[in-house]
Amino acid sequence: MRALIFGASGQDGTLLQEVLRTKNYIIKKSPRFKLSDATENELEDLISSFRPNHIYYLSAIHGSSRDAINNNVSLLKDHFNVNTLIPSLVPKIVQKIGLACSYFYSSSSLIYLPSSHKIDENGHISPKCIYSCSKHL
């Protein structure tokens, strides 16, 4: 099995690699380019050249959960590109090249209202910061 991991150097990516290695996966880490500058063609080349069975999108641009939504256009653009646009292109590319693979996109619990109870996908969605807004879209 082959796995392509976006965000492989982060905490979740590092843990995922450990698990996949125990299952003898061939792992490719996404290049260390600034994802917000990636083009659809670069993503297509990456995916079509490796032809993974599984794609994991763990990359994210985030700040403090206390960061308010503001008018910093550059920051908003980076959040949107890395957390929303690029991960939405992956399934489109997979379909375009006719690749049969699974795709996992990691969102965030910050898209939900704070709760003292266990949060699941049925929770009330109420993003409060740039990061949570971009992970919800």
Side-chain angles (χ1 to χ4, degrees):
M1 290 287 178
R2 300 163 70 84
L4 173 60
I5 305 173
F6 290 85
S9 62
Q11 178 182 353
D12 293 345
T14 300
L15 294 171
L16 176 60
Q17 287 181 76
E18 289 176 15
V19 170
L20 294 178
R21 281 192 185 105
T22 67
K23 299 176 185 232
N24 297 316
Y25 272 68
I26 299 168
I27 298 169
K28 180 165 186 81
K29 303 173 190 178
S30 65
R32 298 283 295 168
F33 57 84
K34 186 176 179 187
L35 286 175
S36 60
D37 292 335
T39 67
E40 188 170 343
N41 289 338
E42 289 171 318
L43 292 169
E44 184 175 334
D45 289 346
L46 174 65
I47 294 167
S48 62
S49 66
F50 185 61
R51 303 204 60 83
N53 304 96
H54 306 285
I55 299 174
Y56 299 90
Y57 196 92
L58 308 175
S59 291
I61 290 182
H62 54 82
S64 169
S65 61
R66 296 183 189 106
D67 290 345
I69 298 171
N70 61 39
N71 293 324
N72 182 332
V73 175
S74 177
L75 183 62
L76 289 169
K77 180 183 173 189
D78 284 347
H79 274 76
F80 175 76
N81 285 341
V82 173
N83 299 342
T84 307
L85 178 62
I86 293 172
S88 71
L89 289 173
V90 171
K92 176 182 171 185
I93 291 167
V94 165
Q95 184 178 25
K96 178 181 176 183
I97 65 175
L99 181 63
C101 75
S102 65
Y103 177 51
F104 176 83
Y105 170 71
S106 178
S107 185
S108 172
S109 63
L110 290 177
I111 69 170
Y112 300 102
L113 280 175
S115 175
S116 59
H117 304 289
K118 185 176 180 181
I119 298 173
D120 65 21
E121 289 80 12
N122 297 314
H124 183 74
I125 296 175
S126 182
K128 301 283 188 218
C129 62
I130 295 170
Y131 172 70
S132 60
C133 286
S134 64
K135 292 298 271 189
H136 168 56
L137 300 173

